Amino acid sequence: MSGCLAANDWICPEYVRSRAQELADATVQHVWITGVSVLVGIAVAFPLALLVRARPAWGGPVLGLTTVLYAVPSLAMFSLLLPVFGLSAALVVTGLVLYSLTILVRNVLAGLAAVPAETREAARGMGYGPGRMLWEVELPLALPAVLAGVRMATVSTVALTTVGALVDYGGLGTLITSGLKSFFKAQVLTASVLCVLLAVTADVLLLGLQRLLTPWTRVARARSSLPIPEQRPMPRQRPVPEQPSAPERRSAPGGVGKAG
């Protein structure tokens, strides 16, 4: 055993080299659980957002329920789902999907609500039906808000996946938990750093995807950042002096003679 492992140092390259396969397996599991949870969350959140938009009376119950689910502690959430799914990856994925709904549903609704009414009227005038207008007009314009919600949900899910270590499906969280139990410093620090790198990488990749799919937002920001030219005051015109009127012609000398 090398010096850093024997000394139980926080930073230990030998640990990374000797446990590379274990770290890779935990990272792959972490990415898989996060990706599946976010994709399923999007598939559930989108119909819920459309339901709320079509029936506004459902807005309060749906948004209230997603908020309550997000407020449930993860340990309690997994315990409530345990009788249904048992100790499996489906237990962790289902809990993470429920946590992601409060972010995704609200952002989809915000994106659809931001579509200008004039755009919808123009689409109807061109013969677009509800379904075609949703997919070809409203959804593209709602993408900035939707993708912003996906970014937030993804970063949040990367962090919450570590809690899956409670049922041995936590990806890097499993290494963190086992390292804390044995006070294995290098394992705790390395797994934690990898978890942070996963969150940052996912956010950067989704930000790049957002910019790729919504190029018009960059054009709008560029136009808004252009300096507005100063309006120079118009030079004051000097008053034109009045020209003196021409002298009145004097009448010829001598009056008109009297009729004889």
Side-chain angles (χ1 to χ4, degrees):
M1 184 179 293
S2 66
C4 63
L5 285 175
N8 194 21
D9 293 333
W10 285 105
I11 300 175
C12 184
E14 181 61 28
Y15 167 78
V16 178
R17 288 192 295 267
S18 61
R19 304 289 183 89
Q21 187 59 47
E22 184 181 10
L23 291 170
D25 293 340
T27 303
V28 169
Q29 185 186 64
H30 205 113
V31 172
W32 178 82
I33 292 175
T34 300
V36 172
S37 301
V38 173
L39 291 176
V40 175
I42 295 172
V44 175
F46 194 70
L48 286 177
L50 294 180
L51 173 65
V52 170
R53 192 181 68 157
R55 298 172 180 259
W58 286 73
V62 170
L63 296 178
L65 178 60
T66 57
T67 303
V68 169
L69 290 174
Y70 194 79
V72 176
S74 54
L75 181 59
M77 176 71 77
F78 290 159
S79 300
L80 292 172
L81 297 173
L82 186 60
V84 180
F85 298 99
L87 296 174
S88 64
L91 169 67
V92 180
V93 170
T94 304
L96 296 177
V97 168
L98 295 177
Y99 282 133
S100 68
L101 291 180
T102 185
I103 300 173
L104 294 174
V105 172
R106 292 176 185 274
N107 277 69
V108 173
L109 282 173
L112 293 175
V115 178
E118 298 82 2
T119 304
R120 293 193 180 96
E121 291 298 328
R124 291 191 190 98
M126 296 173 63
Y128 281 60
R132 186 183 176 191
M133 182 166 62
L134 173 66
W135 290 105
E136 297 185 15
V137 178
E138 293 179 315
L139 188 56
L141 294 177
L143 271 181
V146 174
L147 291 177
V150 173
R151 286 174 57 199
M152 289 188 291
T154 301
V155 173
S156 175
T157 303
V158 169
L160 290 172
T161 299
T162 57
V163 186
L166 296 171
V167 293
D168 203 26
Y169 286 96
L172 294 167
T174 304
L175 295 180
I176 295 173
T177 303
S178 63
L180 288 173
K181 289 179 181 178
S182 60
F183 200 58
F184 193 174
K185 296 179 181 178
Q187 180 168 306
V188 172
L189 182 62
T190 304
S192 300
V193 170
L194 287 176
C195 189
V196 173
L197 290 177
L198 274 182
V200 173
T201 302
D203 187 57
V204 171
L205 290 176
L206 289 173
L207 178 61
L209 179 64
Q210 179 178 346
R211 291 184 175 182
L212 180 65
L213 295 179
T214 58
W216 61 88
T217 57
R218 298 198 302 274
V219 176
R221 284 196 297 267
R223 288 179 177 176
S224 63
S225 63
L226 290 176
I228 300 176
E230 296 182 359
Q231 297 290 337
R232 295 184 177 180
M234 295 293 293
R236 296 180 61 182
Q237 296 182 353
R238 296 180 180 179
V240 180
E242 295 183 0
Q243 297 292 333
S245 58
E248 296 181 357
R249 293 181 179 179
R250 297 179 181 178
S251 56
V256 179
K258 293 182 181 179

